[in-house]
Amino acid sequence: RPPAPTSRSTLNDVSDDDSDCEDEAKQERRDSAGAHHHSDDAPAPPPHDDDPAPESWEEFWHNSTTRNARRAKEAGGDPATLASAKALPKGRHGGTLSRGVPCVPGTGAQSIHCFGCDTVTTNQLECAQCLEIFKRRSEKVAFDTFERAFFCSHLCYQGCYHKHKSRHGATRSAPTELDGREHDFEPAEGDGALWDAKALKRHTVEGCPAEF
């Protein structure tokens, strides 16, 4: 039978463990001090959504305004002006967006350009996926920055689909004057298609497979 451990050996073991913990704590403090000194020399990176809590009100305000401006810009909004009835969002060519359709400012007349060749066109042929995204967004977002995509022909849609399909991914809305929140929306599913507003029919376009 092995001899029972003595109280002396137990105390020595505990003392050795405490010494190791103290050494590790000192090393951690030295590493932390060195990292803090290094951060003083380097410029502060721009704030991200997962940054730690700020240490002062000024830091919180700076981080919040910078992050909100970045996210609004990514969502297609103007960081300097929240969209409202008096400051309508603008489309690709500077026209105000009325339910996603670009219009001439002050008149309300539609001013639509083909998303493929950029020529002036009508609202007859519209990307069905983009229309579905707009419908989802319109349930939550007033004065949306998302512009609906119209095309002059099936061939034009087919020819630029390889670039256009990126619009069918997940989207985020920019804050508005009525709602300061941001909303995330799922991608549009299904093969590329055009909605014919005159025939009230959806046309699946050959050679335009679903992206999502």
Side-chain angles (χ1 to χ4, degrees), residues 132-163:
E132 182 62 32
I133 292 173
F134 175 78
K135 287 180 178 178
R136 295 177 188 172
R137 293 169 64 104
S138 65
E139 295 177 356
K140 293 185 177 181
V141 186
F143 314 117
D144 197 4
T145 59
F146 188 83
E147 182 175 351
R148 293 159 63 180
F150 299 94
F151 289 85
C152 61
S153 68
H154 292 71
L155 290 177
C156 198
Y157 178 80
Q158 186 181 53
C160 73
Y161 180 77
H162 64 290
K163 293 182 179 179

Side-chain angles (χ1 to χ4, degrees), residues 4-212:
T6 65
S7 60
R8 179 179 179 83
S9 63
T10 302
L11 291 175
N12 286 340
D13 291 342
V14 173
S15 176
D16 291 342
D17 292 341
D18 290 344
S19 298
D20 293 340
C21 292
E22 291 177 359
D23 292 341
E24 292 177 0
K26 290 179 181 179
Q27 182 62 41
E28 289 179 358
R29 287 195 293 270
R30 286 195 296 269
D31 294 343
S32 177
H36 178 72
H37 175 73
H38 177 72
S39 64
D40 291 341
D41 298 335
H48 292 279
D49 296 340
D50 55 354
D51 279 349
E55 298 181 357
S56 67
W57 169 255
E58 290 77 12
E59 183 181 356
F60 164 77
W61 183 257
H62 170 75
N63 290 353
S64 297
T65 54
T66 302
R67 179 176 59 253
N68 290 344
R70 171 175 56 82
R71 290 169 68 92
K73 187 175 182 180
E74 290 173 352
D78 183 355
T81 305
L82 294 180
S84 67
K86 296 181 180 179
L88 294 174
K90 297 183 182 299
R92 297 176 301 145
H93 293 277
T96 55
L97 294 179
S98 175
R99 293 192 53 80
V101 181
C103 299
V104 178
T107 68
Q110 293 185 349
S111 178
I112 300 174
H113 289 75
C114 175
F115 255 73
C117 62
D118 209 37
T119 59
V120 176
T121 187
T122 68
N123 62 355
Q124 179 177 352
L125 297 177
E126 180 176 2
C127 174
Q129 275 73 23
C130 291
L131 178 58
E132 182 62 32
I133 292 173
F134 175 78
K135 287 180 178 178
R136 295 177 188 172
R137 293 169 64 104
S138 65
E139 295 177 356
K140 293 185 177 181
V141 186
F143 314 117
D144 197 4
T145 59
F146 188 83
E147 182 175 351
R148 293 159 63 180
F150 299 94
F151 289 85
C152 61
S153 68
H154 292 71
L155 290 177
C156 198
Y157 178 80
Q158 186 181 53
C160 73
Y161 180 77
H162 64 290
K163 293 182 179 179
H164 175 76
K165 63 184 179 181
S166 62
R167 288 192 97 223
H168 301 165
T171 59
R172 172 184 293 148
S173 66
T176 67
E177 191 174 87
L178 293 178
D179 185 358
R181 298 171 299 173
E182 297 164 342
H183 301 279
D184 293 308
F185 300 91
E186 296 294 326
E189 300 177 351
D191 293 341
L194 287 171
W195 171 254
D196 190 325
K198 286 187 176 181
L200 298 180
K201 184 177 180 180
R202 178 188 177 108
H203 302 278
T204 300
V205 181
E206 184 180 354
C208 301
E211 178 70 4
F212 301 97

